[in-house]
């Protein structure tokens, strides 16, 4: 810890702090814009960092990474368009809050939860990286399969549209995850001969379609309605009571996000989704979820930012990146001549602590900026719909096209806009679909890989302690509420 | 009526003046190539390994060419989208494709929409990353000889990426050349996952580029056994080559620049010269060094074309044998 403080001191040079500040500002900006993500930005700026000294370069990339994850929530809350895939869950409850005129409350909560999650994970990174990095080795395909099943076990419960409808939407999501070339056979599935579908359905256009385009169509059907808006309420920040209510969610999000972030195959998006499930499971106000629950923002936002610190663990200690952005940070490290690995912690601790310190600084900077800008950004919800939503569509089209420069992605977005609109009309929630899409690929691939490893013996799973534990937790958490319900019903009957 | 007349008139004036305009343009083109920014098309998304190679090369290239270079990312169809984009452009040397073995496989499998292998003309090689046979530290086979002997007796499990992809073909070719049993393939999403599963013992072995599990090799968690390259690799001086063990097996992950057939010979020569020159810059060399790739990666047309041809021949045969060709 003392060495860490030394590292923090090293960052206190004005120049480095300025670089971190610029990185943070840039990160929030690109994170918020659909189509520009933290990973795209750091890739574009990678050649620029080559000319910097190693600490400055990594501090800059790290600041962009931290801030972009937070920035994604701004547009998710304000206009139902996740600026970053990891913020898609934030839109589930953030947008309903903004639509109610509580944008400032939602944005403020997102900033605070993100910062707490981010700082928690950096502290874990400082204390436990060498220990945690070995943990990544104990996660093979069978363990990932168990984790994916755990995540999917809540499929019927999310969305608040009733178990049957949620399951239908979830299965559709899993089915969509099957599109593309199958990893284990090399055969194309459901691509209809379209080259755009060979690599599967891209995640970002589906999200933008389901959320933003669907909302645009929905708004278009209610053009003649006058919406009453309260300018002052929109900019109000969360109260102490809000934080008391969300404290548990932030805690769950920080721990789960760090844990999932450490696993190289999973990232911030999965962390946010699994956290959303768990926060809802342990909430006393389950009925609020999907309708603007402040806990539904706090948990996932804490999780996707703590996943940032978590994913730096395998990157720095094993040289194995856990996400697209850490892959670029890794490339940045290598170009600077810094070789990642366990030895980094004994040979170059000063360097590491400066990096951690800059991530910490980035988190604090976006907290201040976030709270300050929340009031300003909240005003976006006051823009008349006739101007706001066409502008959103414009941004969405660019956002869908930009990452892969493929028109196919724009069509995907528009198709899912219609799907999202029909979903709403018929009382389905997009939440389980998104969950199925994210976890579907993982559950299928890890199962197939496991079976190859086990020589097609299903019993092989029982020989893996971590997998068995995860399965047991899934079953217990799944069955307990049913038992409780039965017990309560019996008591009620006995009392009568 | 009047409108059509002016329209026709305008067209005629344009036609009449066309040779006048075209003549100096043609002259200029002969004097100076490139005359406009060069596009570098890659199938990798922004931040992918191939994309980073393109961007590292490009730091020096604009000064050499006297023109800007622009990376165009056409993700999709395992290179098909990138090839289709290049095919939509004039074949005047202003469009470079950053080609990998993946592109060639896509062409072999008939998924490149009208582009045949003969249409690809190699210009310069950018990276050559040799494949190395590796096992986890828990493996009972600590030497290449012991491993090969065991692999002849039993069917081992090899980690690769996509089934039917480049890594899979390399494993297939290696197994044949080494005379071992064709292994069971366990596919993963990337080299990092493969390294982790080697350490935890979920798979018996894998062919990996030496930089991928570098931290694991240093920590002794992953043991490199055999280099599938003509000579030993500088970063792994104690690992014998296949030739030293008694058979020929050369496999590498390669990336390089290519154009579509039809670009004039003099322009090809300019492209080759300037690309090789800009990849000899200290910055690019540093990039090669830091990612564990040999400086001899950078090579001109003859070497690169020969390598492409060899992979094309081997790949076709392997795809047919594996039954994944379509």
């Amino acid at each position: 810890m003392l060495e860490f403080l030394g590292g923090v001191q090293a960052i206190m040079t004005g120049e480095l702090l300025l670089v971190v500040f610029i990185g943070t500002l840039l990160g929030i900006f690109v994170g918020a814009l659909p189509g520009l993500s933290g990973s795209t930005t750091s890739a574009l700026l990678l050649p620029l960092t080559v000319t910097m000294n190693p600490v400055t370069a990594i501090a800059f990339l790290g600041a962009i990474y931290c801030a972009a994850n937070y920035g994604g929530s701004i547009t998710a809350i304000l206009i139902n368009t996740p600026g970053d895939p990891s913020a898609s869950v934030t839109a589930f409850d953030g947008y309903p809050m903004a639509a109610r005129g509580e944008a400032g409350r939602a944005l403020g909560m997102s900033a605070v939860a993100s910062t707490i999650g981010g700082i928690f994970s950096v502290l874990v990174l400082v204390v436990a990286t060498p220990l945690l990095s070995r943990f990544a080795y104990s996660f093979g395909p069978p363990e990932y399969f168990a984790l994916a099943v755990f995540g999917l076990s809540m499929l019927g419960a999310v969305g608040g549209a009733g178990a049957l409808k949620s399951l239908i939407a979830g299965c559709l999501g899993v089915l969509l995850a099957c599109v593309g070339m199958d990893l284990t056979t090399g055969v194309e599935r459901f691509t209809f001969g379209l080259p755009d579908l060979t690599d599967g359905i891209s995640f970002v256009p589906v999200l933008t379609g389901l959320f933003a385009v669907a909302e645009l169509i929905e708004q278009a059907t209610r053009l003649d309605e006058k919406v009453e808006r309260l300018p002052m309420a929109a900019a109000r920040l969360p109260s102490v009571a809000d934080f008391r209510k969300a404290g548990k969610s932030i805690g769950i999000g920080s721990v789960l996000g760090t844990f999932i972030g450490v696993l190289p195959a999973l990232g911030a998006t999965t962390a946010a989704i699994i956290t959303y499930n768990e926060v809802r499971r342990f909430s006393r106000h389950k009925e609020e979820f999907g309708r603007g629950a402040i806990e539904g923002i706090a948990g996932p936002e804490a999780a996707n930012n703590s996943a940032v610190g978590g994913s730096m663990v395998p990157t720095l200690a094993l040289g194995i990146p856990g996400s697209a952005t850490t892959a670029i940070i890794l490339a940045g490290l290598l170009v600077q001549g810094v070789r990642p690995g366990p030895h980094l912690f004994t040979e170059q601790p000063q360097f590491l602590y400066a990096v951690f310190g800059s991530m910490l600084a980035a988190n604090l900077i976006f907290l201040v900026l976030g709270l300050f800008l929340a009031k300003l950004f909240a005003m976006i919800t006051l823009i008349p719909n006739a101007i706001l939503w066409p502008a959103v569509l414009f941004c969405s089209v660019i956002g869908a096209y930009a990452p892969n420069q493929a028109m196919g992605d724009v069509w995907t977005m528009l198709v899912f806009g219609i799907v999202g609109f029909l979903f709403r009309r018929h009382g389905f929630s997009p939440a389980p679909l998104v969950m199925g899409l994210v976890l579907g690929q993982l559950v299928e691939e890890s199962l197939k890989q496991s079976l190859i490893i086990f020589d097609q013996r299903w019993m092989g799973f029982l020989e893996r302690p971590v997998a068995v534990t995860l399965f047991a937790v899934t079953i217990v958490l799944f069955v307990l509420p049913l038992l409780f319900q039965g017990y309560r019903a019996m008591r009620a009957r006995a009392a009568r | 009526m009047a409108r059509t007349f002016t329209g026709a008139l305008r067209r005629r004036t344009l036609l009449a003046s066309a040779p006048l305009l075209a003549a100096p343009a043609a002259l200029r083109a002969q004097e100076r190539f490139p005359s406009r920014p060069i596009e570098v098309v890659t199938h990798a998304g922004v931040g992918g390994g191939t994309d980073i190679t393109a961007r590292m090369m490009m730091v020096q290239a604009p000064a050499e060419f006297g023109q800007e270079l622009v990376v165009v990312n056409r993700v999709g169809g395992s290179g098909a989208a990138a090839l289709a984009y290049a095919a939509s452009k004039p074949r005047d040397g202003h469009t470079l494709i950053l080609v990998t073995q993946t592109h060639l496989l896509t062409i072999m499998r008939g998924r490149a929409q009208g582009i045949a292998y003969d249409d690809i003309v190699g210009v310069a090689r950018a990276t050559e990353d040799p494949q190395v046979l590796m096992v986890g530290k828990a493996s009972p086979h600590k030497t290449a000889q012991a491993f090969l002997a065991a692999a002849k007796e039993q069917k081992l499990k090899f980690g690769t990426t996509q089934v039917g992809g480049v890594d899979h073909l390399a494993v297939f070719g290696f197994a044949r050349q080494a005379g071992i049993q064709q292994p069971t393939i366990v596919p993963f999403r990337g080299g990092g996952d493969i390294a982790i599963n080697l350490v935890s013992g979920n798979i018996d072995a894998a062919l990996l580029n030496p930089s991928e599990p570098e931290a694991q090799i240093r920590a002794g968690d992953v043991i490199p056994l055999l280099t599938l390259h003509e000579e030993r690799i500088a970063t792994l001086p104690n690992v014998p080559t296949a030739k030293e063990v008694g058979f020929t097996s050369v496999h590498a992950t390669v990336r390089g620049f290519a154009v579509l057939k039809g670009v004039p010979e003099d322009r090809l020569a300019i492209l080759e010269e300037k690309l090789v020159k800009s990849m000899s810059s200290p910055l690019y060399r540093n990039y090669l060094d830091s990612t564990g790739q040999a400086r001899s990666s950078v090579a001109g047309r003859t070497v690169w074309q020969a390598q492409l041809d060899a992979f094309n021949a081997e790949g076709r045969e392997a795809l047919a044998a594996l039954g994944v060709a379509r």
Side-chain angles (χ1 to χ4, degrees):
Chain A
M1 209 59 191
L2 255 178
E3 291 100 329
F4 175 61
L5 293 176
V8 173
Q9 204 176 3
I11 192 190
M12 287 312 160
T13 63
E15 187 210 340
L16 196 57
L17 219 50
L18 184 69
V19 167
V20 170
F21 181 78
I22 295 171
T24 309
L25 203 60
L26 194 67
I28 296 180
F29 183 69
V30 299
L33 279 178
L36 267 180
S37 62
S39 55
T40 319
T41 313
S42 23
L44 292 174
L45 293 176
L46 182 62
L48 185 79
T49 64
V50 173
T51 55
M52 304 176 179
N53 75 52
V55 171
T56 316
I58 305 309
F60 182 59
L61 293 175
I64 294 177
Y65 187 26
C66 291
N69 250 306
Y70 157 69
S73 71
I74 297 174
T75 26
I77 290 168
L78 292 176
I79 50 174
N80 207 13
T81 312
D84 195 275
S86 64
S88 52
V89 186
T90 311
F92 295 165
D93 285 289
Y95 182 67
M97 277 184 78
R100 263 202 320 249
E102 299 173 354
R105 223 176 125 217
L107 286 171
M109 179 52 75
S110 162
V112 173
S114 295
T115 304
I116 296 176
I119 290 180
F120 176 80
S121 74
V122 173
L123 293 181
V124 170
L125 195 59
V126 173
V127 179
T129 299
L131 198 76
L132 277 176
S133 64
R134 300 303 303 182
F135 177 71
Y137 289 134
S138 55
F139 254 74
E143 288 75 23
Y144 280 116
F145 175 68
L147 189 64
V149 169
F150 173 68
L152 283 175
S153 69
M154 290 303 286
L155 201 59
V158 288
L164 186 64
K165 284 186 171 176
S166 290
L167 275 178
I168 293 174
C171 289
L172 184 64
V174 174
L175 203 62
L176 288 170
C178 296
V179 175
M181 198 182 278
D182 179 21
L183 183 71
T184 47
T185 59
V187 171
E188 287 183 13
R189 301 186 299 185
F190 310 113
T191 59
F192 304 100
L194 297 171
D196 281 326
L197 291 179
T198 318
D199 298 334
I201 293 184
S202 322
F203 191 52
V204 173
V206 173
L207 282 185
T208 325
L210 279 179
F211 292 103
V213 180
E215 182 66 24
L216 168 89
I217 305 175
E218 181 72 34
Q219 295 285 352
T221 62
R222 303 192 250 126
L223 271 185
D224 38 330
E225 278 177 38
K226 273 265 178 281
V227 191
E228 198 67 38
R229 285 172 197 279
L230 309 161
M232 289 329 286
R236 192 177 297 144
L237 293 176
S239 63
V240 177
D242 286 332
F243 288 119
R244 207 166 287 152
K245 192 173 173 189
K248 192 168 68 179
S249 310
I250 296 178
I252 295 176
S254 303
V255 174
L256 272 180
T258 309
F259 163 72
I260 292 170
V262 169
L263 301 175
L266 302 179
T269 310
T270 320
I273 283 181
I274 292 186
T275 299
Y276 186 76
N277 291 343
E278 295 317 306
V279 165
R280 185 186 172 280
R281 198 200 303 257
F282 291 106
S283 168
R284 270 192 231 120
H285 315 276
K286 289 191 176 58
E287 69 291 344
E288 288 177 14
F289 279 74
R291 298 188 180 88
I294 200 150
E295 296 157 274
I297 297 171
E301 277 304 309
N304 66 29
N305 267 72
S306 57
V308 168
S311 67
M312 290 296 267
V313 170
T315 311
L316 294 171
L318 305 178
I320 291 170
S323 69
T325 317
T326 43
I328 295 152
I329 293 180
L330 181 66
L333 282 169
L334 290 173
V335 170
Q336 293 283 356
V338 180
R339 332 287 301 167
H343 57 276
L344 205 56
F345 291 81
T346 47
E347 288 166 19
Q348 286 175 289
Q350 289 302 319
F351 168 79
L352 280 184
Y353 292 137
V355 172
F356 298 160
S358 68
M359 288 175 70
L360 218 49
N363 272 291
L364 292 172
I365 292 171
F366 79 61
L367 174 67
V368 176
L369 282 175
L371 286 178
F372 174 71
L373 293 174
K375 294 187 170 196
L376 197 71
F377 284 148
M379 299 296 172
I380 290 179
T381 53
L382 302 177
I383 299 173
N385 282 342
I387 296 168
L388 179 65
W389 288 99
V392 170
L393 180 70
F394 182 73
C395 290
S396 306
V397 171
I398 295 173
Y401 179 77
N404 295 345
Q405 299 179 11
M407 271 314 279
D409 285 344
V410 178
W411 300 127
T412 306
M413 180 190 82
L414 294 176
V415 167
F416 278 91
I418 297 166
V419 171
F421 176 70
L422 293 177
F423 261 41
R424 288 172 188 218
R425 277 291 144 116
H426 298 281
F428 288 89
S429 159
L433 191 152
V434 171
M435 226 169 102
L437 186 60
V438 171
L439 295 175
Q441 186 184 325
L442 182 68
V443 81
E444 190 201 359
E445 280 176 8
S446 57
L447 176 61
K448 285 177 160 182
Q449 289 165 337
S450 303
L451 288 176
I452 299 175
I453 290 170
F454 296 148
D455 296 314
Q456 310 298 327
R457 285 181 310 116
W458 286 80
M459 287 298 139
F461 282 107
L462 298 180
E463 294 151 19
R464 311 283 293 224
V466 178
V468 169
T469 312
L470 279 168
F471 283 133
V473 170
T474 310
I475 293 168
V476 167
L477 288 178
F478 195 76
V479 175
L480 265 188
L482 298 177
L483 288 180
F484 267 126
Q485 245 173 17
Y487 176 69
R488 246 182 253 140
M490 253 170 55
R491 279 237 321 226
R493 219 174 298 144
R496 239 186 287 139
Chain B
M1 215 30 208
R3 194 171 291 164
T4 11
F5 176 71
T6 33
L9 190 73
R10 202 175 293 144
R11 211 174 304 137
R12 196 177 304 156
T13 2
L14 266 179
L15 277 176
S17 57
L20 280 173
L21 281 172
L27 272 177
R28 222 179 299 133
Q30 267 173 4
E31 283 165 16
R32 240 189 48 187
F33 165 81
S35 54
R36 55 186 169 86
I38 295 178
E39 289 190 317
V40 181
V41 193
T42 164
H43 71 303
V46 178
T50 308
D51 179 72
I52 289 176
T53 306
R55 290 177 199 280
M56 287 297 164
M57 175 280 296
M58 274 175 25
V59 176
Q60 192 57 44
E64 291 292 333
F65 282 106
Q67 277 292 346
E68 286 303 312
L69 276 85
V70 187
V71 176
V72 180
N73 302 86
R74 292 284 151 159
V75 186
S78 307
L83 289 169
Y85 177 81
S88 74
K89 295 279 157 181
R91 300 183 179 189
D92 58 1
H94 288 100
T95 310
L96 286 170
I97 316 168
L98 193 45
V99 167
T100 65
Q101 289 132 320
T102 304
H103 292 82
L104 301 190
L105 271 184
T106 302
I107 295 174
M108 285 174 212
R109 297 180 77 172
R111 289 169 177 177
Q113 292 159 342
I115 296 171
Y117 173 71
D118 296 337
D119 290 323
I120 304 286
V121 180
V123 180
R125 187 172 69 196
T127 66
E128 183 185 37
D129 212 352
Q131 300 267 27
V132 176
L133 173 70
M134 306 200 191
V135 296
K137 75 166 168 210
S139 169
H141 322 297
K142 304 285 187 208
T143 64
Q145 285 85 353
F147 179 87
L148 293 171
K152 278 173 189 151
E153 298 299 315
Q154 64 195 103
K155 206 173 166 67
L156 294 175
K157 292 191 182 81
F158 268 63
T160 65
T161 49
Q162 178 75 52
V163 164
V166 178
D167 285 358
H168 184 193
L169 293 198
V171 169
F172 176 81
F174 162 72
R176 258 197 184 178
Q177 290 148 351
I180 60 172
Q181 287 194 32
Q182 278 299 335
T184 305
I185 298 296
V186 188
F188 291 93
R189 281 279 158 195
D193 285 345
I194 298 176
I196 284 181
N197 283 283
L198 268 184
V199 177
S200 55
N202 287 327
I203 48 178
D204 298 311
L207 299 185
L208 289 168
N209 303 126
S211 61
E212 282 170 318
E214 200 208 324
Q216 286 70 27
I217 294 176
R218 272 187 71 152
D221 286 332
V222 165
I223 304 163
L225 293 183
L226 192 67
T227 300
L228 306 185
H229 195 52
E230 269 94 8
E231 51 211 62
R232 293 191 180 200
I233 303 171
T235 47
L236 301 173
N238 300 322
V239 181
T241 66
K243 203 169 271 166
E244 292 172 49
V245 176
F247 64 100
T248 311
S249 182
V250 176
H251 296 277
T253 311
V254 289
R255 301 185 181 109
F257 297 93
V259 294
L260 290 179
K261 197 168 70 183
V263 176
E265 171 60 32
D266 56 327
R267 292 190 175 188
L268 275 178
I270 294 177
L271 284 173
E272 178 191 22
E273 186 208 327
K274 308 226 155 158
L275 281 172
V276 169
K277 219 166 166 188
S278 45
M279 289 189 289
S280 310
S281 70
L283 193 137
Y284 190 80
R285 278 173 176 247
N286 178 31
Y287 162 71
L288 287 178
D289 289 348
S290 64
T291 48
Q293 307 185 81
R295 287 184 176 184
S296 62
S297 280
V298 179
R301 274 192 279 173
T302 7
V303 174
W304 178 222
Q305 188 65 47
Q307 197 166 24
L308 288 175
D309 289 343
F311 181 79
N312 184 49
E314 278 170 34
R316 271 176 208 281
E317 203 191 317
L319 277 182
L322 285 170
V324 268
R326 194 177 69 175

